[in-house]
Every structure is written in structure tokens, then in C-alpha cells.
Amino acid sequence: LNVGEIINEGVIAHRIFPATLHARNNEKDNLHAENEDLRMMISNDAKLLQTLSSSCDQANALIVSMDQLLQEKDQALHDMENFVQMNDMANKSMVDKTRKRYSDQVFLLQEKLRESIEQKKGMEKKMKSIELRVAEYKTALSEKQHQFIEIAHMLEMTNESLRLM
């Protein structure tokens, strides 16, 4: 290169360099602005992530709370089932006891009825026996009365004969 060329290039560089420097400065400013925008976006994203994280924590706490409520509900249902089962068993026991008591009472009443029927049959037999004896006594009395009448008649006749004699 000769001096003229170097100067010529220097002149060209002197003319181009401020434009390039200006373009580079604009590019640098644009990069700073983009960088600042990215920082803002990252900051906003971080805030959003923090909000989401807080919301997730609240949702997790709510899920834990709901899980506890479901466990309490399950326990309450289990307790209710146990209570209903115990109540059913108590009712069954009361019904069984009442049924047994009435069954025992019915059995005793049936026994008393059977005894009463047997006593009645015995009384009926005694009554028939007494009626037969009464009939026999009446028959015997009737015969005795008849004999008495005959004896009384004979005594009258004997008295009459004795009087006549």
C-alpha cells in the first residue's frame, strides 16, 4: 500500500467509522433495551411464578384440608355404621327377649289350658259318675219308697186286722 492509498482508506474509514460507530451505538442501545425488556419479562415471570407457587401452596393446603375432612367424614360414616349395627343388634336382642318371654308365656298358658282341659274332663267324668250314682240312689230310693209303701200298706192291713181282732 502506498501513502495515498492509506490516506484514501483513512478518509474513507473516517467517513465510514462515525456511521459504523453510530450504528454500533444504536445496536448497543437496542441490545440494552432488549436486555432491559428481557429483565422485566424475567422479573414479571418470576413474580408470576411466585404467585403460582403461592397459589399451588394454597391449593395443596386446601387439598390437605379437604383430605382431612374426607377422612373425618369416612370416620363419621364408620362410626355411624357401627352405631347402626349396635342399634340393630340391641333391637334384635330386645325383640328376641320379648319373643322368648311371650313364647314362654304362651307355652305356660298352653300348659295351663291343657291342665284345665284335663281337669274339666276329670270333672265331667266325676259328674257323670255322680249322676249315675244319683240315678242309682233315686232308683234305690224309689224301690225303697215302693217297699216302704208296701210295708206301710202291710202295716195298715195288719193294724186293721189287729183291730178287728
Side-chain angles (χ1 to χ4, degrees):
L1 281 175
N2 65 26
V3 173
E5 288 176 357
I6 292 176
I7 292 175
N8 194 18
E9 281 184 23
V11 170
I12 293 172
H14 180 65
R15 288 185 195 154
I16 295 175
F17 183 71
T20 305
L21 187 61
H22 183 67
R24 283 191 180 164
N25 281 339
N26 282 342
E27 199 176 302
K28 183 179 163 187
D29 288 343
N30 286 341
L31 287 174
H32 278 297
E34 283 179 24
N35 200 13
E36 196 57 39
D37 287 345
L38 286 173
R39 279 192 185 130
M40 281 297 252
M41 287 171 59
I42 289 171
S43 175
N44 288 340
D45 287 349
K47 288 177 185 175
L48 183 60
L49 281 173
Q50 192 174 21
T51 302
L52 286 173
S53 176
S54 176
S55 294
C56 284
D57 290 344
Q58 290 174 356
N60 286 335
L62 184 61
I63 289 170
V64 167
S65 176
M66 289 176 75
D67 187 46
Q68 287 174 342
L69 286 174
L70 285 173
Q71 288 176 358
E72 289 174 11
K73 178 186 169 198
D74 287 345
Q75 184 61 43
L77 284 172
H78 186 288
D79 292 346
M80 180 63 84
E81 287 173 355
N82 286 342
F83 174 78
V84 167
Q85 187 177 17
M86 286 177 13
N87 191 32
D88 287 348
M89 289 171 57
N91 287 342
K92 183 184 180 305
S93 176
M94 287 173 44
V95 166
D96 289 347
K97 285 179 184 177
T98 303
R99 184 179 293 133
K100 181 171 180 2
R101 185 176 64 223
Y102 287 133
S103 177
D104 291 347
Q105 288 176 350
V106 166
F107 177 77
L108 289 174
L109 289 172
Q110 286 173 338
E111 282 294 310
K112 286 182 180 180
L113 179 62
R114 188 183 54 75
E115 289 172 5
S116 295
I117 289 170
E118 287 176 10
Q119 286 176 352
K120 180 184 172 204
K121 286 179 183 177
M123 297 287 258
E124 286 173 347
K125 283 181 184 178
K126 284 181 184 178
M127 286 294 287
K128 284 183 182 179
S129 173
I130 291 171
E131 287 173 357
L132 284 174
R133 281 189 280 165
V134 165
E136 288 174 4
Y137 288 141
K138 284 183 180 179
T139 304
L141 181 62
S142 179
E143 286 176 16
K144 293 289 180 190
Q145 283 177 340
H146 192 359
Q147 286 175 357
F148 181 73
I149 291 173
E150 283 181 16
I151 291 173
H153 186 53
M154 287 166 104
L155 279 173
E156 268 184 42
M157 288 182 74
T158 307
N159 272 341
E160 201 84 22
S161 301
L162 284 175
R163 253 194 258 156
L164 287 176
M165 284 191 192

